[in-house]
């Protein structure tokens, strides 16, 4: 198997007042070029931490990450991140947000006109050219997320890292963006790691689903290969026996093998925080 | 045309009358402030009658208004005199030159007493110079200590130490230092100007430094991550991420600084006898005529009003440069 991106025995300890807190323990994973991998697991298990280590925003305490056999130890545009809450610069328009990234990555290789075309091309990919002169506070949540994706794609990353890119969106918008993402992935063949809480989303989009155990010292519990033919159509798959089998596998992992017992108490104390993660799963179950 | 508009009005008579909601807003926006002002004037007028000072009765709104008119008139007289002086001088010089083309003529500047309005101008110039210079120091310093925790740890004790120092304490030191250091045959600025300006500068640095530093230190982690993923260099990081993100707090600091600068300036001018509104107040106080209290009261109101205008100007500037158009600025 092609080892484009390798995580080998990644462990991380966060310093806390009570001593080091081991968030991840020996996470090992190989990802092939062009592969679409989802990370799924209960809230707080360490999914974002894995992504941030690949991004270079966190440093592993032991173990490490190799991209094309070179060690990752700092953030960089070849590992573009789509952040959980869009993270657009609020004082720049959609166009300017993408422009900032494009200028930084291509300032030596593209002319002004080429950069402009490239920015518009990427905004077109996410169907945002009609609102490219609007600022983030003038566009909807789904549109912001799309601009965030355009910004990441415009860096022409080797690996696209997405932290719950559609988590905060309503079901219709989410479905629409999932379709766009599948199209883009089919066209460009990016290597993608996506964090999600949504079982349907994971099965629909991924080549593999990586299921993480609960923290502390979380690690990879199981890996599920999704060999459904592409292009995938959500409506057709809804009645597909294999699709439903994969869904059931993931649900069984999350709710039987990795049930979060203490979460029920936490849910009562913090209904807001818990519901954001639980409702989508409950709907599907 | 006319008949059509008339018709549409008569069909819609209700639209001419303001709604209850509009009346409420009018009341809050215009009527209530007016009520407040009239109440104040009434209380002031009555209280003034009961206060007798060695310079006569405390001035009520009427006397103060009279003095304001006097001060305006004096200003115009003074300007007239200046023009007359210059005209006379020109005529005299022309006569000398016709008699003897080789003669050396002198052009002397007019040296009249500065009027109230001149003093206002001087004060404004001094305060803005001090404030702008202070901002040029405070903003970079604030950004530096906001970005770098070691720099913050090093500078913070000094800020805490100097922040509460009253301008009156600085003044003698500033006076002595300026007198010792600023020795020039042909000074571009007068010493008194420099003394007031540096005192203002020392006192109005701190709010901008502190607020900028807080704004910079609290730039959201997400934006910092974006900058890291893009591998922005140090300067683009500061100018494209840090400065815009901390602009709102920076302006909060700048507005506080300008307010302090204006307050400090009046005190400094009064004590240092440097030209400006402060000196005007002091001179009137020393003068001790029956009009003095009224004239001082004019100055007090002018100081307040100018302070208000300065704050409004900063607010407008803030609204102009702020990216968050939804933020409620007051
Ligand atoms: N900077 C940090 N310092 C200390 N502990 C941290 C830090 N970042 C994360 N953690 C801890 O590491 C664990 C994993 O956090 P992480 O954010 O990766 O979870 P997650 O799986 O992304 O959760 P969610 O699905 O809610 O986003 C949590 O227990 C969290 O408290
Ligand atoms: Mg997370």
């Amino acid at each position: 198997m092609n080892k484009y991106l390798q995580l080998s025995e990644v462990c991380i300890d966060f310093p806390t007042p009570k001593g080091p807190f081991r968030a991840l323990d020996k996470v090992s994973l190989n990802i092939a070029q062009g592969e679409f991998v989802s990370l799924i697991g209960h809230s707080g298990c360490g999914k974002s931490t894995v992504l941030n280590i690949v991004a270079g925003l966190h440093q592993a305490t032991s173990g490490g990450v190799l991209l094309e056999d070179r060690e990752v130890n700092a953030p960089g545009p070849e590992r573009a991140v789509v952040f959980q809450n869009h993270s657009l610069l609020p004082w720049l328009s959609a166009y300017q947000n993408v422009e900032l990234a494009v200028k930084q990555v291509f300032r030596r290789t593209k002319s002004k006109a080429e950069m402009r075309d490239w920015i518009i091309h990427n905004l077109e990919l996410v169907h945002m050219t009609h609102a490219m002169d609007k600022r983030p506070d003038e566009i909807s949540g789904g549109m912001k997320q799309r601009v965030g994706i355009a910004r990441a794609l415009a860096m022409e990353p080797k690996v696209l890292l997405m932290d719950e890119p559609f988590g905060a969106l309503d079901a219709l918008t989410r479905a629409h963006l999932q379709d766009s993402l599948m199209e883009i992935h089919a066209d460009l063949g990016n290597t993608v790691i996506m964090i999600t809480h949504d079982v349907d989303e994971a099965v629909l989009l991924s080549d593999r689903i990586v299921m993480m155990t609960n923290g502390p010292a979380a690690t990879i519990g199981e890996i599920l290969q999704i060999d459904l033919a592409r292009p995938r159509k959500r409506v057709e798959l809804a009645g597909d026996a294999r699709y439903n089998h994969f869904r059931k596998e993931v649900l069984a992992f999350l709710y039987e093998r990795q049930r979060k017992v203490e979460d029920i108490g936490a849910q009562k104390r913090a209904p807001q925080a818990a519901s954001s993660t639980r409702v989508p799963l409950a709907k599907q179950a | 045309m006319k008949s059509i508009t008339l018709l549409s009005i008569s069909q819609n008579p209700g639209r001419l009358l303001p709604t209850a909601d509009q009346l409420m807003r009018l009341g809050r926006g215009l009527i209530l402030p007016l009520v407040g002002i009239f109440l104040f004037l009434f209380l002031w007028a009555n209280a003034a009658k009961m206060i007798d000072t060695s310079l006569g009765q405390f001035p009520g709104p009427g006397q103060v208004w009279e003095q304001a008119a006097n001060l305006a008139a004096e200003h115009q007289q003074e300007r007239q005199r200046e023009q007359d002086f210059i005209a006379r001088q020109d005529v005299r010089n022309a006569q000398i030159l016709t008699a003897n083309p080789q003669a050396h003529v002198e052009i002397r500047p007019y040296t009249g007493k500065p009027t109230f309005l001149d003093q206002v101008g001087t004060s404004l110039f001094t305060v803005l110079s001090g404030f702008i210079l202070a901002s040029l120091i405070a903003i970079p310093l604030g950004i530096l200590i906001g970005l770098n925790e070691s720099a913050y740890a090093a500078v913070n004790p000094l800020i805490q130490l100097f922040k509460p120092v009253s301008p009156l304490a600085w003044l003698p030191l500033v006076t002595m230092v300026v007198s010792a250091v600023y020795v020039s045959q042909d000074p571009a600025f007068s010493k008194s100007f420099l003394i007031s300006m540096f005192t203002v500068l020392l006192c109005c640095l701190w709010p901008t430094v502190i607020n900028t530093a807080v704004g910079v230190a609290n730039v959201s982690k997400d934006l910092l991550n974006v900058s890291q993923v893009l591998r922005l260099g140090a300067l683009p990081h500061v100018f494209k991420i840090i400065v815009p993100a901390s602009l709102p707090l920076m302006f909060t600091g700048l507005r506080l600084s300008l307010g302090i600068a204006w307050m400090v300036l009046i005190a400094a001018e009064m004590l240092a006898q440097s030209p400006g509104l402060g000196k005007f107040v002091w001179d009137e106080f020393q003068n001790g005529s029956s009009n003095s209290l009224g004239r001082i009261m004019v100055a007090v109101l002018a100081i307040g009003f100018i302070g208000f205008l300065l704050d409004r100007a900063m607010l407008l500037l803030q609204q102009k440069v702020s990216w968050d158009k939804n933020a409620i600025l007051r």
Side-chain angles (χ1 to χ4, degrees), chain A:
Chain A
M1 152 164 195
N2 176 346
K3 291 177 181 172
Y4 187 62
L5 180 71
Q6 289 173 269
L7 282 75
S8 43
E9 309 231 313
V10 170
C11 305
I12 189 164
D13 293 332
F14 286 115
T16 62
K18 283 184 253 156
F21 169 78
R22 172 139 299 203
L24 294 177
D25 191 48
K26 297 206 176 117
V27 175
S28 295
L29 180 67
N30 292 326
I31 297 175
Q33 185 163 19
E35 199 178 5
F36 196 121
V37 172
S38 296
L39 282 182
I40 201 163
H42 286 291
S43 180
C45 70
K47 304 180 293 295
S48 297
T49 309
V50 171
L51 203 80
N52 284 337
I53 290 173
V54 177
L57 293 166
H58 283 332
Q59 293 296 320
T61 310
S62 67
V65 179
L66 296 176
L67 174 60
E68 289 187 311
D69 293 322
R70 245 169 300 159
E71 187 170 2
V72 164
N73 44 25
E78 77 279 3
R79 282 161 283 117
V81 187
V82 177
F83 294 93
Q84 195 160 357
N85 46 355
H86 71 78
S87 295
L88 298 178
L89 307 185
W91 52 88
L92 296 181
S93 69
Y95 179 90
Q96 291 166 323
N97 263 289
V98 181
E99 187 184 34
L100 181 70
V102 169
K103 273 194 174 157
Q104 182 65 15
V105 178
F106 298 106
R107 68 193 149 182
R108 292 209 186 83
T109 49
K110 280 195 201 304
S111 71
K112 269 210 169 127
E114 282 172 332
M115 282 203 238
R116 187 176 165 78
D117 291 346
W118 178 242
I119 296 163
I120 297 203
H121 170 74
N122 280 283
L123 285 166
E124 254 162 21
L125 281 180
V126 295
H127 307 291
M128 276 299 298
T129 37
H130 63 287
M132 66 183 190
D133 292 320
K134 293 201 169 149
R135 300 226 198 139
D137 58 355
E138 298 167 328
I139 58 182
S140 70
M143 290 159 98
K144 279 184 250 204
Q145 211 50 270
R146 281 193 265 169
V147 177
I149 293 171
R151 175 173 67 183
L153 288 172
M155 300 179 207
E156 238 173 21
K158 290 179 180 162
V159 183
L160 183 61
L161 304 170
M162 305 207 272
D163 193 346
E164 289 184 50
F166 314 132
L169 306 177
D170 66 280
L172 283 176
T173 313
R174 191 185 313 169
H176 181 76
L177 288 186
Q178 286 163 353
D179 292 343
S180 307
L181 185 58
M182 279 196 286
E183 267 170 42
I184 291 167
H185 182 241
D187 286 351
L188 308 179
N190 311 66
T191 308
V192 183
I193 304 180
M194 181 181 77
I195 294 177
T196 181
H197 274 119
D198 183 334
V199 178
D200 276 312
E201 180 172 281
V203 177
L204 182 67
L205 296 178
S206 316
D207 296 316
R208 275 192 297 161
I209 300 180
V210 173
M211 293 175 269
M212 292 187 59
T213 62
N214 290 336
T219 187
I220 293 173
E222 289 173 34
I223 298 182
L224 188 64
Q225 187 86 32
I226 310 287
D227 22 45
L228 295 169
R230 288 180 191 271
R232 299 172 182 168
K233 296 268 183 302
R234 71 180 63 241
V235 182
E236 288 165 22
L237 286 176
D240 187 304
R242 281 170 65 229
Y243 176 82
N244 284 314
H245 162 75
F246 291 131
R247 270 192 56 188
K248 198 165 154 254
E249 282 289 307
V250 180
L251 290 171
F253 176 85
L254 289 175
Y255 293 106
E256 284 164 13
R257 289 179 289 247
Q258 287 295 324
R259 252 183 82 177
K260 263 200 127 175
V261 183
E262 93 274 26
D263 218 16
I264 311 299
Q267 203 172 0
K268 271 189 197 138
R269 266 177 272 122
Q272 205 103 60
S275 66
S276 67
T277 63
R278 291 230 160 220
V279 168
L281 293 172
K283 258 193 272 173
Q284 285 138 14

